[in-house]
Amino acid sequence: MAALFGRRMRRGAASTAVAAAAMAALSASGAPSAVSEQPAAAAADRPSAGAPGQEDPSITGDSPYYTELPELKGPGRNDPPDETPTTGSAESGIPATVLDAYRKAEASLAASNPRCRVPWELLAAIGKVESGHARGGRLDTNGTTPSPILGPVLNGVGFADISDTDGGAYDGDTLHDRAVGPMQFIPQTWESWGRDGNGDGRRDPNNIYDAALAAGSYLCAHDRDLTVERDLHQAILGYNRSQEYLRTVLRWYDHYRKGAHEVPDGSQPAPGAPAGTGGTTPSPAPVSPGTPSPSPTKPGKPAKPGKPAKPAEPGDGSPSKPTPPPTTPPPTTPPPTTPPPTTPAPATRLVDLGDGALSAPVGERFADRPAVRAERADKKPAARAKVRFTVAGETGTTFEGGATTVTVTTKADGVAKAPALLAGGKPGALTVKATLLGATEPVTLGLRGEVTAPRADKLVRTDETGLTCGAGDTFEGRIALAATRDGEAAPGVAATVTVLAGAEPADGEKAADKGPYFLTPGDEPAEDRRTRELTLTTDAKGNLLLPELHTDDTTGTFRLRVETAGGAVVVLELEVTEAA
């Protein structure tokens, strides 16, 4: 979008101004823009992008983007000569971490949304156009940009007018929104579509793993099949509603499908950033509408020689004849040759990197991610080994995104981390199987885990019955409480109810042996069914209704303590008076 690379602006301010009218408000959901249902190839028949009232804003706010097209000349192509600058094979290179993020996003979506069939090459094409692959792969070890990649201020001056929706949390601007990160999401769209692609428990638009997975999810919206041309075109136009943008992304998509290779992070030149976007490198000035872009020089065609300079008059200190330009002798040393790459030894074993059993309460995210290291026969890390993780058991646990099987490629350290696990709705044991793919002998490692009972982080009393009773009598009404977790009702949560003696807590105290008591169900005499300690479970709405509370002939102050799994506690003071 707003990131700059190359020298050709693919969309000027004129088309941006047309789109600006539709940018006045975001949709409440931040869902992808609806585009025309006619075939995308009929570009001339499509309504103008950004017509008022026709569509919601795109994922990027339709800000301008800068890029050069890849070299894709061939039979049957009628590209104007100034559309395809001469470039080298370097334009097929993609920084290693960025390429890994694109491929992992493809694998994750293939498991969670197999109908969509999003190819990593499409994510690469959009990432190239939007940010030059995160400024040429300038990322930290977690895949996050050292400084934010920000688009222009969407204040209606040449761009869309989108008032601040995130309080500056993502873009640092509390007046207007700006697109953020390697895949250029406007903040409200990120709130709806942001994903945790690297399983660190955060959704960060500045992280290439998070941003690539979010972009893929966005492209797959509306039940699209990206192998269908119309769905593919609509998905790209939902990213930025410009026919020029569509054509540019498709050209890079075609280019990467014909061949792409990995290059070291940061080895490519970083694209510039337009003035006022928060970038640190200067940018080429935008081309005004109607101003022709300079045409690149065709390779191999020598410049037309000019006329020789007129000889100077004698006596002025100049030579009487023009001096010919110096010539450079051809190099005599042949260029160095690159040795063929060596194939590393394959992985032969897996090592568990976990520090114990994986565990999480029902419905919550596991704190730890399944992780293994692939090693060669010499016990050194094996890079680029493929490890398949599979969740087995009856707990309903899945990886984030809903898949039960994912495949991860190890990095240089040989480590493969599965996505975060989400505990299912049934407590019990589970196993995450890690299988080394492509090994000559089967290599499988079983990582044990457990889904524990649900928990609550808050417990409140909901009744108003009195807490004073005469000796030998029964308290009026029943005490009721409600348990919640993260503000939502917490069903199925175990709670311990204990009657304690005295008004003040004491170290190591246990249930009282006198005073208020409950009756357990049964046919035995009431005196044999007295108890001052119960274990109960909240109902489907998180409610907890205590049994009737009776008293013996002991008077004084007592405490009723109720504690849930998860540590939520309520303590009520009970007063037993002399019998009436």
Side-chain angles (χ1 to χ4, degrees):
M1 188 196 76
L4 303 183
F5 56 105
R7 296 177 180 270
R8 190 180 305 278
M9 185 175 77
R10 300 303 308 157
R11 184 164 67 88
S15 60
T16 311
V18 174
M23 300 300 107
L26 286 166
S27 63
S29 65
S33 306
V35 293
S36 173
E37 289 300 320
Q38 57 191 336
D45 298 330
R46 181 180 298 279
S48 299
Q54 176 183 323
E55 298 173 340
D56 291 333
S58 67
I59 189 171
T60 63
D62 288 343
S63 294
Y65 54 92
Y66 296 73
T67 183
E68 288 181 349
L69 295 171
E71 183 179 9
L72 290 174
K73 288 187 175 181
R77 295 189 182 275
N78 297 314
D79 299 319
D82 65 339
E83 292 285 354
T84 310
T86 301
T87 51
S89 61
E91 69 180 7
S92 298
I94 301 176
T97 299
V98 181
L99 180 59
D100 184 54
Y102 296 150
R103 286 174 168 163
K104 284 184 176 176
E106 177 193 57
S108 178
L109 290 164
S112 63
N113 190 354
R115 169 183 166 77
C116 179
R117 292 183 279 192
V118 59
W120 70 261
E121 293 91 343
L122 177 59
L123 297 174
I126 291 175
K128 175 71 171 177
V129 174
E130 295 295 345
S131 69
H133 299 312
R135 293 178 177 150
R138 281 157 178 79
L139 304 163
D140 63 18
T141 56
N142 295 319
T144 303
T145 60
S147 60
I149 300 175
L150 298 176
V153 178
L154 299 177
N155 57 6
V157 182
F159 311 118
D161 186 1
I162 302 179
S163 298
D164 175 60
T165 61
D166 65 332
Y170 292 120
D171 54 18
D173 193 326
T174 58
L175 296 179
H176 295 88
D177 272 348
R178 303 171 72 171
V180 181
M183 304 303 277
Q184 290 288 275
F185 279 81
I186 54 176
Q188 187 166 350
T189 310
W190 180 259
E191 280 300 311
S192 299
W193 289 94
R195 298 290 186 268
D196 178 12
N198 61 355
D200 63 357
R202 300 176 63 242
R203 299 183 307 149
D204 185 357
N206 299 299
N207 181 277
I208 186 59
Y209 290 95
D210 295 359
L213 182 58
S217 301
Y218 189 97
L219 295 170
C220 289
H222 300 313
D223 200 28
R224 292 190 182 111
D225 178 355
L226 297 185
T227 61
V228 176
E229 183 181 44
R230 185 177 69 174
D231 283 3
L232 173 65
H233 288 197
Q234 287 180 335
I236 297 171
L237 287 169
Y239 219 96
N240 190 316
R241 284 190 306 277
S242 159
Q243 291 294 328
E244 199 66 29
Y245 180 86
L246 171 65
R247 189 171 75 90
T248 303
V249 170
L250 289 175
R251 288 283 293 271
W252 279 107
Y253 176 36
D254 191 17
H255 183 72
Y256 288 135
R257 290 175 68 191
K258 292 179 183 295
H261 61 275
E262 178 184 302
V263 297
D265 290 345
S267 63
Q268 295 178 321
T277 64
T280 58
T281 53
S283 66
V287 181
S288 301
T291 304
S293 301
S295 300
T297 304
K298 293 183 179 180
K301 184 176 180 180
K304 184 177 181 180
K307 293 182 180 180
K310 182 179 178 181
E313 293 294 331
D316 63 357
S318 302
S320 60
K321 295 183 180 180
T323 303
T327 59
T328 302
T332 57
T333 304
T337 58
T338 302
T342 58
T343 303
T348 59
R349 67 181 219 139
L350 295 175
V351 177
D352 182 9
L353 298 182
D355 55 1
L358 303 162
S359 179
V362 165
E364 297 191 32
R365 182 195 300 269
F366 281 69
D368 298 319
R369 293 163 54 192
V372 298
R373 183 174 61 248
E375 294 183 348
R376 306 192 306 242
D378 56 5
K379 295 187 179 181
K380 291 185 178 180
R384 299 187 184 180
K386 292 188 179 297
V387 180
R388 183 175 62 212
F389 292 93
T390 304
V391 182
E394 303 298 327
T395 64
T397 299
T398 66
F399 293 109
E400 189 171 41
T404 56
T405 299
V406 296
T407 300
V408 179
T409 302
T410 63
K411 293 187 177 182
D413 58 3
V415 174
K417 279 191 175 183
L421 286 167
L422 299 180
K426 183 179 180 181
L430 62 89
T431 302
V432 179
K433 295 180 180 179
T435 303
L436 180 62
L437 303 181
T440 54
E441 298 290 337
V443 178
T444 300
L445 197 62
L447 313 178
R448 293 179 298 170
E450 181 185 15
V451 175
T452 60
R455 62 182 182 178
D457 55 26
K458 187 175 183 180
L459 185 66
V460 295
R461 185 184 175 195
T462 58
D463 72 286
E464 296 181 355
T465 60
L467 299 180
T468 300
C469 181
D473 206 345
T474 300
F475 282 82
E476 182 181 353
R478 296 169 65 182
I479 297 173
L481 304 103
T484 58
R485 180 178 63 251
D486 298 329
E488 302 289 337
V493 176
T496 301
V497 184
T498 309
V499 177
L500 302 167
E504 298 296 331
D507 293 338
E509 62 182 344
K510 297 181 180 180
D513 55 2
K514 295 180 180 180
Y517 62 87
F518 301 102
L519 289 177
T520 60
D523 298 328
E524 297 84 358
E527 289 191 0
D528 296 336
R529 293 186 285 115
R530 292 183 180 183
T531 182
R532 294 177 175 86
E533 191 168 12
L534 292 174
T535 299
L536 305 174
T537 303
T538 60
D539 63 15
K541 295 183 178 180
N543 295 322
L544 193 69
L545 184 62
L546 274 56
E548 285 187 328
L549 190 59
H550 309 278
T551 67
D552 57 17
D553 56 2
T554 306
T555 61
T557 301
F558 299 86
R559 283 170 293 126
L560 181 69
R561 177 185 171 90
V562 184
E563 181 175 4
T564 69
V569 178
V570 165
V571 179
L572 305 175
E573 187 173 288
L574 306 175
E575 192 70 32
V576 180
T577 63
E578 294 289 345

